[in-house]
Amino acid sequence: MNTSYNVKVNNDFDFVIDETALANLNAVQDSDTTFHILNEHKSYKAVLIDADFIQKKYTISINNNTYTVDISNELDLLIKEMGFSLGNAKKVNEIKAPMPGLILDINIKVGDTVNEGDTLLVLEAMKMENSIASPREGVIKSISVQKTDAVEKNQLLIEFE
């Protein structure tokens, strides 16, 4: 089975590269981010500027011209056709109270940078302490509650920038 890749450059030029074309590519890697390429007796210097492996999107400079390159295989195209996107999970920008309760402790302040899984606050509900963890990395934009506040279900607690 011959695998092929659909390549889109700067969102206007589309072409397909197969395994045979890749095998015939005359390229030498000079460092982690630089390559020397020969094509039709012409020399090109390619520099990898940025790489997003999850989205399969790359920014490359070739002879001082910058290009954005999107690469997808047959599975990526099928996933997109079905309406799904790899790596495009919904970004959570606010945290709401999962249940009514009392705010026992707030571990962050506005402007703090938090990591996924960090405990943001503690909510007491039905005589149990519930740690509310950050669902993502981010910066705290606002805190809508204070320690000892009683909150209702779905009440806004914290917003991310």
Side-chain angles (χ1 to χ4, degrees):
M1 183 171 139
N2 192 8
T3 303
S4 62
Y5 301 92
N6 291 15
V7 180
K8 182 176 268 200
V9 179
N10 291 344
N11 286 326
D12 5 272
F13 185 66
D14 291 306
F15 58 96
V16 176
I17 297 176
D18 62 14
E19 287 179 354
T20 305
L22 286 175
N24 293 329
L25 181 64
N26 191 352
V28 176
Q29 187 170 356
D30 297 329
S31 72
D32 288 342
T33 59
T34 60
F35 301 83
H36 184 170
I37 301 168
L38 286 175
N39 185 34
E40 296 180 6
H41 307 290
K42 292 182 183 174
S43 177
Y44 299 92
K45 179 183 177 186
V47 179
L48 180 62
I49 297 171
D50 187 37
D52 182 344
F53 297 108
I54 294 173
Q55 296 294 328
K56 297 181 183 176
K57 188 173 194 164
Y58 306 88
T59 304
I60 301 169
S61 172
I62 299 177
N63 290 352
N64 296 319
N65 294 313
T66 302
Y67 303 95
T68 301
V69 180
D70 294 290
I71 301 173
S72 53
N73 60 24
E74 293 173 17
L75 179 60
D76 297 324
L77 296 174
L78 181 60
I79 289 170
K80 185 176 180 181
E81 186 178 307
M82 293 174 67
F84 300 107
S85 290
L86 186 61
N88 278 345
K90 181 181 175 189
K91 195 170 193 178
V92 176
N93 289 321
E94 56 187 31
I95 296 179
K96 295 183 179 180
M99 62 195 85
L102 180 71
I103 302 296
L104 292 182
D105 197 14
I106 300 175
N107 300 332
I108 43 101
K109 59 185 182 302
V110 173
D112 282 357
T113 300
V114 296
N115 294 311
E116 183 176 345
D118 288 353
T119 300
L120 303 176
L121 56 85
V122 178
L123 174 71
E124 180 187 51
M126 298 183 293
K127 299 189 187 224
M128 291 183 62
E129 292 184 10
N130 301 283
S131 295
I132 307 297
S134 178
R136 69 175 180 95
E137 291 182 7
V139 177
I140 303 299
K141 179 180 178 182
S142 69
I143 303 170
S144 302
V145 292
Q146 296 179 351
K147 194 172 177 180
T148 72
D149 280 358
V151 297
E152 296 297 320
K153 182 177 179 171
N154 291 326
Q155 181 178 334
L156 178 64
L157 303 175
I158 296 169
E159 285 183 293
F160 289 94
E161 287 186 2

